[in-house]
Each structure stands twice: as C-alpha cells, then as structure tokens.
Amino acid sequence: MRLIDRAIDLISRKPARSSLWDGYTGVAWAVAHLEGSLLEQDDEDPNEEIDRALLEELGRSPWNGQYDLIGGLVGSGVYALERLPRPTAVECLERVVDRLDETALRVPEGTTWYTPPAWIWRETLQEFPHGYYNLGVAHGTPGIIALLGAACEAGVAAGVARPLLTGAVEWLLAQEMKHHPYARFPSFVHPDSRPAPSRLAWCYGDLGIAAALLSAARGASEMAWEKEAVRIARAAAARPAATTRVIDAGLCHGAAGNAHLFNRLFQSTGDEVLRDAAVEWYARTLELRRPGEGVVGFSAWLPDSTGVAGWRHDRGLLNGIAGIGLAFLAALTPEEPAWDRTLIPALPPRARGKLSS
C-alpha cells in the first residue's frame, strides 16, 4: 500500500508517458489489478483521472505515436482490458482498436504495422536505417494480435477488430522461415534485408509468437490458429539450447520467461511436450543462479544508459528477480498467474493445476 501510494503520488507530480511499462498507465494497471484484493472496491474510482487523460490521448487522429505493448497502443489496450466492463474502459479499448486500424498497412500477405527509424534502437538502426516490420510480442505485430483477440472475446469493437486480426495473423504466418533448421520466425523483416532467426524468448521469437497466437485463437474461436500456435510451440520446445541465445534468467529474454510461457502453453493445451519443455527451462533457470553474486544469485545481462551491455543487479519484474520468483510460483501453486496479463494481453485460462511439486 505504501508503494502504491508513492507511485500514485509520483505520477501526479511529475510528467509521465502514458505507456504501460514505464508510464502512468502501468501504475493505473496495478491499481486496477489489485482492486477487490489488496484494494477495496468502493464508489470512488481511483483511476478516473487516468481514464480521462488516456481517452484524450487516444482521441488524437491521425495517430503518430507508437503502437506496441511496451510503450504504445497495445499497452493502453491491456490497461483497458483490466478495467472492463467499466464504460470508460470499453471506450478506451474501442479507441485503441480504431487507432490500430488507421495505422495498419494492408499488404499482399495480410495486415501489419510499420516501425519507423525514430522508434528503433540505435544498435539495430544501422541494419534497418529505413525502419522495419517487427515480429516481437513486446514491440511488434504479435502483441497486436493478442490484444485484438482479447477485444474480440470481450465483444468490444469486434466489427473492426476481427478483420484486422485475421489480416494480422495471415501476415504473421506468411513470415515463417519454413525450412530453417531450428527457428521459425525472425525478429524483424524488411524487403531490403534477409530474415535472420530470432532468439527464443517472450519479447522476440517463436515462443512469444506461439503464446500470442494461442491467445488470439481462443479469443476469436479459431481452431486453425490454435493448431498453428501449438505447432510453433512444439518446434520451439525442440530447439537446441545452444541456439536459443539465452544467457540470463529474467522473464523478458531469459530462462524463467521461457519456462513460464511453456508452462502456460501446457496448462492451456495439455500438451506433454510443452510440459517437458517447461520443466527443462525451470531447471536451466536454477542452473543460472550463482550464490553470492547478483541479487540472491541472479544477475541480468542488460545495457546501461550508454547502451553498453553488462551484468546488472535487477529486482524488477521484466528482467529481475521479481519476475523469476513469479515464474516459479506459477509452476508450484494452483493459483492463476494473472499478473502475466501484462506480458500477453489474454493468455488462455489455466485449467490443470500446478506443474510439479
């Protein structure tokens, strides 16, 4: 409660972005998530001002901001999903879908979204000076796919969201590298560049794509998409560890994130191949622990403010020990890990108890 109060105070006194992962929408998501448990529900809406500010921002058209989960439209949609069925949440999600519709590109393979050079990390800009199409859940089309599936399931803006979703899934599946020996999808595509295999992670790669596609398949009741999601996930489970580029343990691009997604995919499908992969990745997470180093033995490989990567102490959710701990709790307890709605907008419900004892 002390930290929630402090966070609310900080965003009221300091200018903040509206983004989910580093702005006021993220604080508001946490408040909405805790209502009815840590926070009592009453007649006074603690997020009323946040909703007004977000609705004003999402009312801008044409939209010239980011579209992704971490810092853009998808993140705003994730917040709106957490607030449903409040009328302001419905309106917020409708506006997110409208902005996604107006920024979408209709191409021969389907529907996608373009990332201009201004939004590209400097280490990637040299390879893609004219921008690219992003295939990561965190910053690209798969995150949009998961959100649109959730909007369809909620019955919000479905008339716009459904055709947009269908086109986005078609485009995504068209990017598959069908004959690559171990990876199915690249991180980025551009007509002037040859696709390169992605790492295996939530943020980028086959595993995050499989989870987003399964989420959308359930939301839109599309069995064909679900089969594709399971196929992609099983291929990810068979990928040799040496090719995954996993060197630390965090949720974003580390071993615990892979373990958690394989666990969630198993819990949603009952596929034993995915269960075995989850157990294997949890074991790898423990192997990465070095007692006496980092924070309780875990360090994160991250860039500093100048872009230089190195081993860092991190207690946070996305890259640090908080996320690692939550991933283990999701495997060891029967409770639905609802916190992960910030990673995939609407992962299918958990149905089969804990992963192991």
Side-chain angles (χ1 to χ4, degrees), residues 109-111 141-142 144-153 158 160-174 176 185 206 208-234 265 269 348:
E109 300 106 315
T111 304
T141 296
I144 296 175
I145 285 172
L147 178 72
L148 292 173
C152 290
E153 185 173 27
V160 178
R162 184 54 191 259
L164 203 57
L165 172 60
T166 300
V169 171
E170 290 173 353
W171 180 88
L172 176 66
L173 294 176
E176 184 175 358
F185 291 91
D206 303 344
I209 287 173
L213 188 56
L214 179 63
S215 173
R218 293 284 177 85
S221 300
E222 284 283 355
M223 284 300 300
W225 298 352
E226 180 163 342
K227 290 178 181 178
E228 290 291 298
V230 173
R231 177 184 63 83
I232 295 165
R234 286 174 66 94
L265 287 163
T269 65

Side-chain angles (χ1 to χ4, degrees), residues 327-347:
F328 276 112
L329 286 171
L332 296 169
T333 66
E335 284 78 16
E336 177 81 15
W339 55 268
D340 66 8
R341 290 198 289 262
T342 57
L343 300 177
I344 300 290
L347 278 165

Side-chain angles (χ1 to χ4, degrees), residues 302-339:
L302 297 169
D304 61 16
S305 58
T306 65
V308 177
W311 292 106
R312 316 290 178 199
H313 292 188
D314 196 311
R315 293 173 170 79
L317 177 66
L318 201 55
N319 296 296
I321 59 167
I324 296 169
L326 284 170
F328 276 112
L329 286 171
L332 296 169
T333 66
E335 284 78 16
E336 177 81 15
W339 55 268

Side-chain angles (χ1 to χ4, degrees), residues 227-251:
K227 290 178 181 178
E228 290 291 298
V230 173
R231 177 184 63 83
I232 295 165
R234 286 174 66 94
R239 182 167 174 173
T243 72
T244 61
R245 290 156 49 193
V246 173
I247 61 173
D248 60 4
L251 287 178

